Amino acid sequence: MAKKEEKSPLEFLETPEGLQHEFQHEINKVQTTVEKNKSVIYGVVGALVVGLFGYFGYKYYTASQDEEGQAKLFGAVYKFEADSNKVAATEMAKVASDFGGNTGNLANFYAGVANLKEGKYDTAIEQLKSFSSSDLLVQARAYSLIGDAYSEKKSYSDAIDFYKKASDYKANKFFTPTYMMKLAAAYEANKEPKEALAIYSEIVEKYAESSEAINAKKFKAVLEGAE
């Protein structure tokens, strides 16, 4: 019998078509927030979305992980999904410290998300920066979350750097426009309207069929009218 081909961790997340319907409702939340508060970055909403990505990714690949580590990680994930963020953050941090490999890596990701939701932005930034992945979606989302944390701290220049990383990382029509909207909003918050205008224009030109393009056109018109 031929050996079953092994899939890489979180590989299934590299199929945007499969995720589009599942997460469109969450993405629409981000779009609505942009509509209402274009100069504010949306860390909590982003954290909720990425929590879903991380959760399903975790369930997919735990079979290949260290049994003790994955058992502890699963327990912390359960608390995370139950919105026990403070407890989850503490337990995730311990798993990240005690275990290496994919278990510790993903624990850093979850710990960062949980601490972001708890408003512990510096800790969240440190943990999310410790996470790395080569997949299509989760690494870009991690960059975006770091940007969210910096934005909540009103460190808009740093936020811009990480929103750029999220926007540039394996660009795709499903999620890149969302990161670009955050980037443009950060530019506006940092009083750089010309840069924001350029991003809105790029969204309209490159991602005309995306839902974000509608808002990008509106905000582009506002900035052009202010010149």
Side-chain angles (χ1 to χ4, degrees), residues 31-193:
Q31 179 189 353
T32 300
T33 307
V34 174
E35 179 77 38
K36 294 180 179 179
N37 304 286
K38 66 176 181 176
S39 64
V40 178
I41 312 302
Y42 328 102
V44 174
V45 175
L48 292 174
V49 176
V50 79
L52 291 173
F53 282 132
Y55 175 68
F56 289 111
Y58 166 75
K59 291 186 70 176
Y60 178 79
Y61 85 84
T62 47
S64 66
Q65 306 305 301
D66 174 84
E67 291 185 4
E68 181 184 0
Q70 70 173 275
K72 291 183 178 180
L73 183 57
F74 181 82
V77 167
Y78 180 82
K79 293 181 177 66
F80 177 88
E81 292 297 315
D83 286 331
S84 299
N85 295 309
K86 185 175 181 179
V87 175
T90 300
E91 293 188 8
M92 291 290 183
K94 190 174 190 314
V95 172
S97 175
D98 291 346
F99 297 90
N102 288 326
T103 299
N105 189 40
L106 190 57
N108 273 317
F109 179 84
Y110 269 115
V113 173
N115 277 306
L116 179 58
K117 293 171 72 175
E118 283 290 294
K120 297 180 179 179
Y121 304 124
D122 290 329
T123 302
I125 289 168
E126 181 181 352
Q127 290 165 329
L128 288 166
K129 283 183 176 180
S130 295
F131 171 80
S132 64
S133 175
S134 61
D135 71 275
L136 172 64
L137 301 179
V138 181
Q139 183 62 68
R141 184 64 67 178
Y143 288 145
S144 179
L145 286 170
I146 295 170
D148 291 343
Y150 276 124
S151 293
E152 294 291 349
K153 286 165 55 65
K154 302 189 185 303
S155 299
Y156 297 118
S157 293
D158 291 320
I160 287 167
D161 289 340
F162 280 91
Y163 288 141
K164 280 182 180 178
K165 287 185 177 183
S167 299
D168 293 341
Y169 188 84
K170 299 185 180 182
N172 62 87
K173 65 181 179 180
F174 297 98
F175 301 102
T176 299
T178 298
Y179 303 141
M180 293 179 70
M181 288 296 287
K182 290 187 175 188
L183 174 58
Y187 272 128
E188 288 202 64
N190 205 42
K191 303 188 186 305
E192 298 181 74

